[in-house]
Amino acid sequence: MTDTKPPLEPPFTLGQVEAGPPCCEPVAQLQIRDLAVAYGASQVLSGVSLDVFRGCITALIGPSGCGKSSFLACLNRLIDLLPGATASGTVQFDGQNILSPEQDVKRLRQRIGMIFQKPNPFPLSIRRNLELPLLERGINNKKEVNQRIETALRDVGLWEEVKTRLHSPATRLSGGQQQRLCIARALILEPEILLMDEPCSALDPISSAVVEELILRLKGRFTVIIVTHNLAQARRIANYAAFFWVTEKSGKLIEFNRCQHLFNNPRHALTEAYIAGIKG
């Protein structure tokens, strides 16, 4: 297989990729430049530069170990919690570099929420799972709390399923329900961006389809960045796709474009080989 097209060179910005479908505003909400991540002396990601567009779903694809989850963890400073991890470069969000030591990390994580691979509800009631983030933010008016809880549960399609048992343990919910509850817990703080690290990989096919449909409903209201190993899922839900690959030294961003263009007309031979199942 030969690379017949000249690959785009980073940074992958609005001037290089085609505008998204009508649901997407062609506005860069995150501007990432020369992002690098290391764990001690081990470099796991280097030279990542791209724009993330407001209101769109961006899928991060590539083999295990190429730095996708580390990239995601930088975007709301969860990288700070990983022993020995360091991040460099810039991630501009609302005029500020979120990697700066002056960044208000607590506020940042309210604006950029995170959904993990395995559902992680608190071992408390369904209601308490949603109350705690609000109380932490200083929201304790009972009427407002009740309204936000109902709205968040409706947003994820859980209200009719749990409205009569809000005081039941969240751990009694099914896996798919638990994941939707965790998404509701993130939504209740009214974030601008949602980061999702393989949110369907621990779910059965039916629950996975429900969560996937939910992610599609969030498009436009939120910017979603999702790590997925399911290429079919990426094609179904994403407006943009970023393909990562691991080199001898570290993970790299190889190609970024509109999802349909990246899958149907890849510019880089590695992208073409990965999508075809020849590599990875």
Side-chain angles (χ1 to χ4, degrees):
M1 183 179 301
T2 59
D3 189 0
T4 58
K5 314 173 192 71
L8 296 177
E9 295 296 330
F12 299 104
T13 64
L14 185 59
Q16 288 194 306
V17 300
E18 297 190 14
C23 63
C24 290
E25 299 178 46
V27 175
Q29 190 170 22
L30 293 176
Q31 296 174 305
I32 300 154
R33 299 293 181 269
D34 295 319
L35 181 65
V37 177
Y39 296 106
S42 177
Q43 192 80 24
V44 297
L45 200 63
S46 61
V48 176
S49 297
L50 77 155
D51 289 349
V52 174
F53 303 119
R54 185 186 306 277
C56 296
I57 299 175
T58 298
L60 311 181
I61 63 173
S64 298
C66 64
K68 302 184 302 298
S69 294
S70 294
F71 171 81
L72 208 66
C74 291
L75 302 184
N76 70 347
R77 293 281 294 273
L78 283 179
I79 197 77
D80 297 1
L81 305 179
L82 302 177
T86 57
S88 61
T90 62
V91 180
Q92 291 291 327
F93 176 45
D94 199 19
Q96 295 183 331
N97 176 20
I98 67 174
L99 298 182
S100 166
E102 287 75 38
Q103 175 66 47
D104 183 344
V105 176
K106 182 178 178 180
R107 173 61 180 147
L108 176 69
R109 290 175 185 159
Q110 292 172 354
R111 299 179 69 190
I112 305 180
M114 183 77 167
I115 308 299
F116 296 95
Q117 180 176 7
K118 184 178 179 181
N120 60 341
F122 303 141
L124 304 166
S125 70
I126 296 168
R127 179 183 176 86
R128 196 63 174 162
N129 265 268
L130 300 172
E131 280 180 336
L132 284 179
L134 296 175
L135 295 175
E136 178 69 18
R137 194 171 171 181
I139 299 170
N140 51 26
N141 178 275
K142 186 174 181 180
K143 183 176 180 180
E144 181 178 1
V145 169
N146 288 341
Q147 183 58 54
R148 285 205 184 204
I149 288 174
E150 180 175 343
T151 298
L153 289 173
R154 286 190 183 278
D155 280 343
V156 300
L158 264 181
W159 176 251
E160 295 299 329
E161 298 174 34
V162 304
K163 65 182 180 180
T164 60
R165 51 185 178 127
L166 291 177
H167 296 286
S168 299
T171 51
R172 291 184 184 173
L173 296 172
S174 70
Q177 288 175 322
Q178 288 185 26
Q179 189 66 296
R180 283 188 285 153
L181 177 63
C182 292
I183 296 173
R185 194 172 64 197
L187 294 182
I188 205 165
L189 292 178
E190 299 177 346
E192 298 165 54
I193 299 173
L194 283 176
L195 310 177
M196 297 186 166
D197 194 357
E198 298 189 71
C200 300
S201 66
L203 305 179
D204 63 83
I206 293 176
S207 297
S208 179
V210 171
V211 172
E212 189 176 303
E213 182 181 346
L214 164 60
I215 295 169
L216 280 170
R217 292 203 307 269
L218 298 177
K219 180 169 60 177
R221 291 176 55 198
F222 303 93
T223 301
V224 177
I225 307 172
I226 177 171
V227 172
T228 180
H229 284 283
N230 186 332
L231 297 184
Q233 180 182 74
R235 296 184 77 149
R236 285 192 298 267
I237 70 173
N239 304 109
Y240 293 91
F243 170 57
F244 288 76
W245 186 257
V246 59
T247 66
E248 292 181 1
K249 294 183 179 180
S250 66
K252 298 272 190 182
L253 175 61
I254 302 299
E255 185 167 350
F256 174 76
N257 211 333
R258 283 275 306 279
C259 196
Q260 69 178 84
H261 288 290
L262 187 141
F263 277 95
N264 296 335
N265 192 29
R267 290 179 174 268
H268 200 289
L270 272 175
T271 314
E272 188 174 0
Y274 181 75
I275 290 169
I278 297 171
K279 285 185 177 288

